[in-house]
Amino acid sequence: MALRPHWKGYLKLSLVTCPVQMMPATSENEKVRFHTLNRQTQNRVVSHYVDAVTGKEVNDEDEVKGYQTGEHDYLILEDEELENVALESTKTIDIEVFTPRDSVDWIWLDTPYYLSPDDPVGQEAFSVIRDAMAAENMVGISRLVISRRERAVMLEPRGKGIVLWTLRYGDEVRDPQPYFERIDDETADNELMPLVQQLIKKQTQHWNPKMASDPVQNRLLDIIEAKKKLMKAPARTKAKGKNKEEPAPNNVINIMDALRKSVEAENRSGRH
């Protein structure tokens, strides 16, 4: 079954325009999700907005956005006012500027999407824009309205397509200096470095998506499957399991000894 595009519109560079579609590059559809139930009836629990003072339920038509100006003071903003500050064109990615790819630090990248041609007629224009950026090692910067929010976006050529990254807002990125300023300026010990480098080489592997697997997700699926079997099977006496706690690691006082032991252990294991 073909996935439905998240967004459809046009990619534009000067006088070159082509129809494109955008799909999320990541998905959480396979994640285990829970509903909140009433334990007594096992019916789903639904939430309602209530007035914080009167305790009465608020109808949908009476819900409105408010900006707090004081402890109990708010400025009310209507939906029409919020929509008027959005980007006028929500259907065109107009590339405004190009910048070297390595000049955009990782921390600015937010959510990735796959951008591809939406019509065979526009594939040539799409390919020209993509290949020209790749040849110059450049990325395009533009703006786009996604889910009613205007976002700065970065277009990065990737294989036959383009990856569109939404960029974080400027006030979302923190300056690292206050967090790193207490770290000493001293360089690494010349005797320690070779040991660490040896460990790195021993433990180096090619990237595999399994390295980023979610163990909690797998355990939840095991629990759910076990409960399903219990519901289908006749009543049985449940075995009492004991929680196994991993022992707390001892404090390592001598880093040189610890590194040497690690390297020796790696050599004994014969790992490559």
Side-chain angles (χ1 to χ4, degrees), residues 21 25 123 148 199 256:
Q21 63 178 2
Q123 287 197 18
R148 299 184 66 180
L199 278 175
M256 178 68 81

Side-chain angles (χ1 to χ4, degrees), residues 188-256:
D189 190 295
N190 290 333
E191 295 183 10
L192 297 178
M193 278 289 288
L195 292 172
V196 176
Q197 290 172 324
Q198 189 174 349
L199 278 175
I200 291 174
K201 290 178 180 179
K202 284 282 186 180
Q203 296 177 212
T204 296
Q205 300 178 22
H206 288 292
W207 166 254
N208 188 314
K210 291 182 178 179
M211 295 179 183
S213 62
D214 184 353
V216 174
Q217 173 88 354
N218 295 333
R219 291 168 190 163
L220 285 173
L221 290 172
D222 290 341
I223 292 172
I224 291 170
E225 189 60 31
K227 282 185 172 288
K228 283 182 179 179
K229 291 180 179 178
L230 284 175
M231 292 175 66
K232 294 178 181 178
R236 299 174 183 172
T237 304
K238 298 180 181 178
K240 295 181 179 180
K242 295 182 180 180
N243 294 329
K244 296 181 180 180
E245 294 185 1
E246 296 182 2
N250 295 325
N251 291 331
V252 179
I253 298 175
N254 190 320
I255 189 171
M256 178 68 81

